[in-house]
Amino acid sequence: MIQSAVRLSSPGPGVAPDVPTSSLKRQRDSRSPSPLRHRSPKHPRYGNDSAPNGVNDDLNYQPNERFRRLEITQAPRVQPKPPTEEEKQNAAKKEYDALLGARSGGTYIPPARLRALQAQITDKASKEYQRMAWEALKKSINGLVNKVNVSNIKNIVPELFSENLVRGRGLFCRSIMRSQAQAIPFTPVYACMAAIVNTKLPQVGELLIHRLVTQFKKAYKRNDKAVCLSSTTFLAQLCNFQVVHEVLLAQILLLTLHRPTDDAVEIAVNLTRECGQHLEEFNAPIANAIFDQMRSILHDSDIATRIQYQIEVLFQVRKDKYKDNPAIPEDLDLVEEEDMITHRTGLEDEISTRDSLNIFKFDAEWEDNEKKYQTLKSEILGEAEEENGFENESDSSSEGEEATEERTLEIKDQTNTDLVNLRRTIYLTIMSSSQAEEACHKLMKLSLPNGQEPELVSMIVECSSQSRTFERFYGLIGERFSKINRLWQELFSESFASNYETIHRRESQQIRNVASFFGHLLSSEAIAFQCLSVVRLNEQETTSSSRIFIKILFQEISQALGMKVLQAKLKDEILRPSFDGIFPMDEPRNTRFSINYFTSIGMGELTEEMREHLKNAPKPAAVTAPSKPESDSDSFVEITLKIAFTITLASSPAPPLFAQQIAHTPTGDWQTQ
């Protein structure tokens, strides 16, 4: 059928186009299905034409799966066998070896995991355990050396001896040399530490000297001035502490000054400045030879101007007697001279640095060596670890049991660090209190060690003496403590006696404050008047300081009690024997001195009894000198003197009448005139 090719007009608005209905239906997708597309299987109940004769294995799938899961759930579980201790040790060792053998920057292991891993290795005979102990020893020695300074060296040294320095002497020498090279101004501190260790372990000091000498020789050949300066500075300070003999320093100085260069002379100048005072004291010929060589270099050699200035400064330092460069600083003078051990090592001697001591080595006798060092450490630190055991062989009494007694370790602090800390605590407690009651409450809460109670009393007195004027605050503290317990009262009485004996050491204001403090305690009856028995008021047994002390003391008591009450106290029959030294009646001379003293300070009323005693005392009989028999020689001398004196008067322009009077005067009367 041939259709016309004429274009039909479009329908108007609101008129639906004439389209066949079949073309509006959704056409089935003509594309082939994707092989990845999952199609749900047909349910067997609703037809499966592929199953022959209605047999399908999927009918029993779900019940079988349920039974299988149920059997798995109800079946008894087999517990895994726990690893034995040996297996744990082996696993930990294997893992630790793997970590040590790994390259740097490899597997990261948290510190907690590393500590737990190390805690599992307890076999001291194993290489892994010794390796861990070596690493801990190295870390501990480095930490102690790095944090030592002038203030804490007394505390660091005992901790250092607690480590095995015999095994770790190489580590100690390497660590202290590195620290000294990085902080040269702290060289005296490191030298002091090495000197203390050398007194107990001389092999450590010798190894340190050998390594320093070797380091200097290598650096001198390489022209490494920085290393030479650090090595020679360390050796100079060790010489000051008499660890190394001064002959070694003389050899180094002669080596550097033999062919003077700028760097060599600078090294020599620095070395001489560090140990010059020691050389002047112990070996003056070496010092004179060195300075003569310096003088010739200064005038003849062609060296830089900077080095010339250094030599001139060195001569000025010597002229000032090394006041800014002492051999041993006062705070580091900790080694007794009889304990010092000096090593005589020469610059040309064959020495060994024993670098193998810096690395870990397995020790088959590790436990025995550790026990030996523990014994040595006890001798060094004074720790007496004594175990007194006894075994009673009688079956009836001991029944085969052994009883041991372990004596408690008592570490005695010879550096008085605990005492200083206690005094600081007491001082800060007093100064931080606003009232006396608050201060007493805080001080009573302090746990004072046994036997340290006098320190509290002395600190209260010292705080009172250091103030500008006497403050009643300290007197109330002393009064409160004295009335709490009889122990404190006795301690304050003993403090009065000791302060009176040493009162001449204090300044004028301190004397007034201490006298006012004890005057307050006496007037408040915090301490008894019997403590005044130590005072002896006479011209021979008193000083100007003690007289000021007695004056302020009695003025404070009279101001608090009144003169009448004070007189009644002094006349008390029980207390009278305690005042015999203050109001003496044994000798008139001492009585007059006491009367004049109290009268001069405005307390003449207290001397009435002494005045009566002095008035009623029998007057001593006049003592006539025994007549001296005249001898011939005496009469001859007197006659000769008389003649000579008469001739002199006669030759002088004196009146003749006076000369005649002298000439006719008897011998005894002439001598009197």
Side-chain angles (χ1 to χ4, degrees):
M1 175 177 160
I2 300 174
Q3 296 182 359
S4 174
V6 180
R7 184 178 181 182
L8 300 177
S9 59
S10 59
V15 180
D18 188 9
V19 181
T21 308
S22 60
S23 63
L24 297 178
K25 292 183 180 180
R26 183 178 181 181
Q27 299 294 330
R28 187 173 181 178
D29 192 2
S30 61
R31 295 179 299 173
S32 60
S34 173
L36 300 178
R37 184 176 180 182
H38 176 72
R39 294 182 181 273
S40 59
K42 294 183 179 181
H43 199 278
R45 180 176 297 180
Y46 298 103
N48 189 1
D49 298 338
S50 63
N53 301 326
V55 179
N56 194 342
D57 293 337
D58 292 339
L59 296 175
N60 299 326
Y61 172 75
Q62 292 184 357
N64 292 339
E65 182 66 19
R66 292 175 183 172
F67 282 117
R68 188 179 66 82
R69 293 180 179 178
L70 184 61
E71 289 177 358
I72 294 174
T73 305
Q74 295 180 354
R77 295 185 178 180
V78 180
Q79 297 292 339
K81 187 178 180 180
T84 61
E85 189 67 26
E86 184 177 358
E87 294 176 352
K88 291 181 180 179
Q89 290 281 337
N90 295 333
K93 292 178 183 178
K94 185 176 180 180
E95 185 176 355
Y96 191 71
D97 286 339
L99 291 174
L100 293 178
R103 293 183 303 172
S104 178
T107 305
Y108 169 76
I109 181 169
R113 172 59 182 159
L114 181 60
R115 287 193 297 268
L117 183 62
Q118 293 174 349
Q120 294 178 5
I121 304 176
T122 57
D123 186 10
K124 296 183 179 180
S126 63
K127 182 179 179 180
E128 292 77 10
Y129 183 87
Q130 294 184 18
R131 182 63 178 267
M132 289 191 307
W134 175 266
E135 296 294 334
L137 176 64
K138 179 169 63 175
K139 185 180 298 184
S140 178
I141 291 177
N142 289 337
L144 292 174
V145 171
N146 289 336
K147 70 180 180 181
V148 68
N149 53 44
V150 178
S151 60
N152 65 0
I153 187 172
K154 297 179 181 179
N155 302 328
I156 295 296
V157 170
E159 296 182 16
L160 186 63
F161 278 117
S162 299
E163 306 296 336
N164 193 338
L165 289 181
V166 176
R167 185 186 305 277
R169 58 187 182 274
L171 298 175
F172 172 74
C173 294
R174 184 177 64 176
S175 177
I176 199 171
M177 288 173 62
R178 286 181 177 177
S179 300
Q180 184 270 339
Q182 295 175 0
I184 294 181
F186 287 91
T187 303
V189 181
Y190 297 119
C192 180
M193 174 185 282
I196 297 174
V197 174
N198 182 67
T199 58
K200 305 300 181 183
L201 301 173
Q203 63 271 27
V204 179
E206 186 178 10
L207 179 62
L208 178 61
I209 294 172
H210 289 179
R211 292 191 175 185
L212 286 172
V213 172
T214 304
Q215 185 183 37
F216 167 75
K217 293 166 68 174
K218 292 181 179 180
Y220 189 78
K221 292 179 181 179
R222 296 193 307 263
N223 294 328
D224 191 346
K225 186 179 73 171
V227 178
C228 287
L229 284 174
S230 64
S231 302
T232 53
T233 303
F234 206 169
L235 287 172
Q237 292 297 335
L238 290 176
C239 181
N240 292 336
F241 286 94
Q242 300 186 28
V243 178
V244 63
H245 200 267
E246 56 269 11
V247 174
L248 176 62
L249 301 184
Q251 293 176 353
I252 296 176
L253 288 170
L254 292 177
L255 174 65
T256 54
L257 298 178
H258 179 63
R259 294 180 179 178
T261 60
D262 291 348
D263 292 341
V265 175
E266 184 177 357
I267 294 172
V269 169
N270 178 75
L271 178 58
T272 308
R273 184 188 296 111
E274 293 291 337
C275 65
Q277 187 178 21
H278 179 84
L279 292 177
E280 296 279 358
E281 181 179 356
F282 288 88
N283 206 328
I286 293 179
N288 295 332
I290 296 301
F291 278 98
D292 290 342
Q293 186 70 14
M294 292 276 189
R295 189 177 293 106
S296 64
I297 292 173
L298 183 61
H299 293 292
D300 300 336
S301 299
D302 185 12
I303 56 177
T305 307
R306 180 177 63 88
I307 306 301
Q308 294 179 4
Y309 287 157
Q310 290 186 4
I311 296 177
E312 293 176 357
V313 170
L314 179 61
F315 276 98
Q316 184 63 35
V317 170
R318 186 191 188 190
K319 185 178 180 180
D320 295 338
K321 297 182 179 181
Y322 304 93
K323 63 178 182 179
D324 295 330
N325 299 89
I328 300 178
E330 184 178 357
D331 296 336
L332 297 177
D333 192 6
L334 305 177
V335 184
E336 298 294 338
E337 188 173 357
E338 58 270 11
D339 296 335
M340 295 179 178
I341 300 176
T342 305
H343 301 279
R344 295 179 177 269
T345 303
L347 193 62
E348 301 298 332
D349 295 347
E350 294 183 0
I351 56 180
S352 175
T353 58
R354 304 187 66 181
D355 294 333
S356 59
L357 295 175
N358 297 342
I359 60 177
F360 167 73
K361 285 186 178 181
F362 176 73
D363 187 5
E365 300 178 355
W366 190 84
E367 295 186 17
D368 295 339
N369 293 333
E370 286 294 322
K371 290 180 181 179
K372 291 180 182 179
Y373 186 78
Q374 290 298 326
T375 305
L376 179 62
K377 183 185 73 173
S378 301
E379 296 176 359
I380 294 174
L381 299 180
E383 298 174 355
E385 298 181 0
E386 300 178 3
E387 294 182 0
N388 298 328
F390 64 92
E391 179 181 357
N392 192 350
E393 297 180 357
S394 176
D395 295 335
S396 59
S397 59
S398 64
E399 297 179 357
E401 295 181 357
E402 297 181 356
T404 59
E405 289 186 6
E406 295 184 355
R407 185 171 297 179
T408 306
L409 295 178
E410 182 179 358
I411 301 176
K412 295 183 179 180
D413 183 14
Q414 301 295 339
T415 60
N416 292 332
T417 304
D418 296 338
L419 182 60
V420 173
N421 294 333
L422 177 62
R423 290 178 177 176
R424 183 186 296 109
T425 303
I426 295 174
Y427 175 78
L428 294 177
T429 302
I430 295 175
M431 292 302 170
S432 63
S433 303
S434 58
Q435 296 181 357
E437 292 79 3
E438 179 184 356
C440 293
H441 180 71
K442 291 181 179 179
L443 292 174
M444 290 173 63
K445 292 178 66 177
L446 294 178
S447 56
L448 295 175
N450 293 331
Q452 297 296 336
E453 290 82 3
E455 296 299 328
L456 176 61
V457 176
S458 64
M459 282 304 300
I460 296 175
V461 177
E462 286 298 325
C463 291
S464 176
S465 66
Q466 296 299 326
S467 58
R468 294 185 178 179
T469 58
F470 172 68
E471 298 181 8
R472 196 165 175 266
F473 169 78
Y474 301 106
L476 293 175
I477 296 176
E479 177 186 354
R480 179 63 176 170
F481 271 95
S482 299
K483 292 182 178 180
I484 288 176
N485 195 343
R486 188 176 182 85
L487 171 65
W488 298 109
Q489 185 179 10
E490 295 176 355
L491 291 176
F492 275 103
S493 300
E494 295 175 359
S495 178
F496 175 85
S498 62
N499 277 277
Y500 179 74
E501 292 177 357
T502 59
I503 199 65
H504 59 278
R505 302 177 184 175
R506 297 184 179 273
E507 299 178 357
S508 177
Q509 187 58 42
Q510 293 181 354
I511 295 174
R512 294 177 179 273
N513 292 343
V514 174
S516 300
F517 176 80
F518 285 107
H520 176 86
L521 296 185
L522 288 170
S523 62
S524 60
E525 297 184 354
I527 58 176
F529 276 84
Q530 281 83 353
C531 65
L532 295 176
S533 59
V534 299
V535 181
R536 310 290 297 178
L537 186 59
N538 52 61
E539 189 175 0
Q540 291 78 17
E541 300 183 32
T542 57
T543 61
S544 59
S545 300
S546 61
R547 293 166 196 159
I548 295 175
F549 178 83
I550 298 172
K551 170 188 173 182
I552 303 300
L553 180 70
F554 274 88
Q555 287 179 350
E556 182 71 21
I557 297 174
S558 63
Q559 184 178 0
L561 298 179
M563 188 59 66
K564 293 184 179 180
V565 178
L566 179 58
Q567 287 180 338
K569 288 279 186 183
L570 298 178
K571 294 179 181 179
D572 192 351
E573 296 297 333
I574 299 177
L575 301 177
R576 184 181 291 271
S578 302
F579 304 136
D580 291 342
I582 303 177
F583 305 100
M585 297 183 184
D586 50 353
E587 294 183 6
R589 181 180 180 181
N590 295 339
T591 305
R592 292 191 187 95
F593 183 85
S594 178
I595 292 173
N596 295 336
Y597 176 79
F598 281 101
T599 303
S600 63
I601 64 175
M603 294 187 179
E605 301 177 8
L606 304 178
T607 63
E608 295 178 356
E609 189 173 354
M610 288 191 296
R611 294 176 187 272
E612 290 294 331
H613 171 76
L614 198 61
K615 182 186 295 186
N616 300 330
K619 296 182 179 180
V623 180
T624 58
S627 60
K628 184 178 180 180
E630 295 183 357
S631 60
D632 297 339
S633 60
D634 294 341
S635 61
F636 176 77
V637 171
E638 292 175 359
I639 293 171
T640 304
L641 291 174
K642 179 178 178 182
I643 294 173
F645 192 75
T646 305
I647 294 173
T648 303
L649 291 176
S651 60
S652 64
L657 182 61
F658 181 74
Q660 295 177 2
Q661 183 180 359
I662 293 297
H664 294 284
T665 303
T667 303
D669 298 341
W670 170 76
Q671 289 180 346
T672 304
Q673 294 179 2

